[in-house]
Amino acid sequence: MDIFLILACIFIIPPIVLTVLNVRNLFAKTERFPIALLFVTIVYGLFCYQVFLASESITSIPWHEPVDEYAMHQIISSEYFLSFIVPCAAGFAGLFVIAFFPAEKLSPLVAVLALAGICIGNVENILFALQISKKFWNLSDFRDFDSDGFVYMLPYLYHVNLLLLSVFHIRRQIRGQLALIEARRADAAYTWQKKLYGFLSRASKWYAAAFVAVLPLALVIDIVLILFGQGSDGPAKAFTMTADWTFSAQVPPPPLAYEGHYLCTVAAGGHCVLVKPLRFGMRRGQKIVVNRQLSVANAFEELLQERFFRLHRVLRRFYDTHGYPVSRLITTKLRADIVYILMKPAEWLFTCALYLLCTDPEQRIRRQYAERRSSAAGFSYTIFSPN
């Protein structure tokens, strides 16, 4: 089975189906499996979200430490992570409380505090979605929207589903509370009780009470964070004490340079009689030794980038993650020779692919890492993104 079909069945189709079901529950007269849908959406959504972030080379490294040039720093500051997770926990706790407990089992005060927690959690939900928007959804490039843009929008389905679930269960809880109040109002023995129940019987009062309750609940959260050394501005610093993201206020150090993945190391460090260096080439403005194996590998990568962009991105990320540690082990000419021999089958495979898919494979191979030449000499090479 095609790998992309498998990935779609795991990470694309289920979130879309869950979104459709949540929208249906919100607008339909009869609800379907609200508790199960809540649990599956949150748990499975978090799983897909984590896989997506990991696939995009998003690390847990703080802003002041360098990362690899294709990686990104942490989204939320680890120093102020508690200031982020506590409001989120209040939101999830409030959502599960009103979802799992019907109105007759909750006092009005507990219900209102749960609604206030959901409001606070949704503020964090929206801020997080905005925080990652710089990486995953640049509105200025919306006109160039393609299949990759669609994949980058998938995380936003999770944020949208959290909002859908919040609205659905808030409305469900308030309806239950209103029905309960009407029943108690009919049985009230005193006039003041009837007036109180009459005041509470209007749904708008519940929404207003929830927003008013946000203030004392936020104050309690703030006190807890201060006691744990986060400070009153901890929730803001959780987003700003970062780099690479929308609300980031810090400038990261230069990225770690990939000082010659193993192919480049082999080209420069192996015995000349075996690795057969051909010429010098330019790599990020620096002169390197180029052999046939390196040129073929980079030509094949160029071909992948042109015709199979998504596959190239996956393979490139894997190569960036594992190639550099391998290169650090190649410290002698003998080790470079061994790696050169081990890479020979891959070189042959790359060559076959180039000859099958390119009209002039040798020209593509020759121009890798080539220095720019004068047009008067009859040709001009463009330096491809280095290997």
Side-chain angles (χ1 to χ4, degrees), residues 286-298:
Q286 296 183 344
K287 186 173 289 189
I288 61 171
V289 175
V290 179
N291 67 348
R292 171 77 178 184
Q293 189 177 82
L294 175 58
S295 298
V296 168
N298 210 57

Side-chain angles (χ1 to χ4, degrees), residues 70-183:
Y70 294 99
M72 300 188 74
H73 292 86
Q74 57 191 194
I75 301 174
I76 300 296
S77 170
S78 55
E79 182 181 357
Y80 294 95
F81 186 72
L82 186 65
S83 296
F84 170 76
I85 202 64
V86 170
C88 289
F92 282 116
L95 186 57
F96 279 107
V97 165
I98 66 170
F100 280 87
F101 295 96
E104 58 269 17
K105 293 186 178 181
L106 286 180
S107 68
L109 180 59
V110 172
V112 166
L113 288 176
L115 299 182
I118 294 174
C119 293
I120 292 175
N122 277 321
V123 170
E124 294 290 283
N125 175 32
I126 294 171
L127 288 176
F128 193 92
L130 293 175
Q131 177 81 328
I132 66 173
S133 63
K134 181 178 179 180
K135 166 71 175 176
F136 298 132
W137 193 13
N138 188 347
L139 291 178
S140 64
D141 295 333
F142 190 75
R143 61 184 179 275
D144 300 325
F145 189 78
D146 55 11
S147 59
D148 292 306
F150 171 76
V151 172
Y152 282 144
M153 285 191 66
L154 286 176
Y156 289 93
L157 280 182
Y158 187 65
H159 297 286
V160 170
N161 275 280
L162 290 180
L163 294 176
L164 291 173
L165 289 169
S166 298
V167 173
F168 171 76
H169 286 284
I170 286 174
R171 188 181 64 183
R172 186 168 175 254
Q173 179 67 212
I174 290 178
R175 285 176 175 174
Q177 290 287 348
L178 293 178
L180 190 62
I181 286 171
E182 285 297 328

Side-chain angles (χ1 to χ4, degrees), residues 3 18 26 66 82 109 129 146 148 151 185-186 191 197 201 208 219 251 257 276 298 301 320 330 355 368 382:
I3 183 64
L18 288 172
L26 185 61
L82 186 65
L109 180 59
D146 55 11
D148 292 306
V151 172
R185 181 184 181 186
T191 304
Y197 286 133
S201 65
L219 180 61
V251 178
K276 296 181 176 64
N298 210 57
E301 181 186 2
D320 291 335
I330 308 172
Y355 270 83
Q368 303 306 315
T382 300

Side-chain angles (χ1 to χ4, degrees), residues 323-381:
Y324 181 59
V326 172
S327 74
R328 299 187 66 178
L329 301 176
I330 308 172
T331 55
T332 66
K333 287 182 178 292
L334 177 60
R335 292 181 182 181
D337 293 341
I338 293 172
V339 174
Y340 173 83
I341 295 171
L342 292 175
M343 286 299 299
K344 263 299 175 182
E347 178 189 344
W348 297 331
L349 179 63
F350 297 159
T351 302
C352 290
L354 289 168
Y355 270 83
L356 283 172
L357 300 174
C358 296
T359 57
D360 193 350
E362 287 301 324
Q363 172 67 13
R364 183 185 288 268
I365 292 170
R366 282 196 300 270
R367 73 167 181 254
Q368 303 306 315
Y369 300 108
E371 299 183 58
R372 293 184 182 272
R373 306 291 183 86
S374 170
S375 58
F379 55 90
S380 178
Y381 289 146

Side-chain angles (χ1 to χ4, degrees), residues 24-35:
R24 185 261 171 205
N25 263 5
L26 185 61
F27 294 102
K29 293 182 179 180
T30 57
E31 58 192 40
R32 297 285 183 85
F33 314 110
I35 304 300

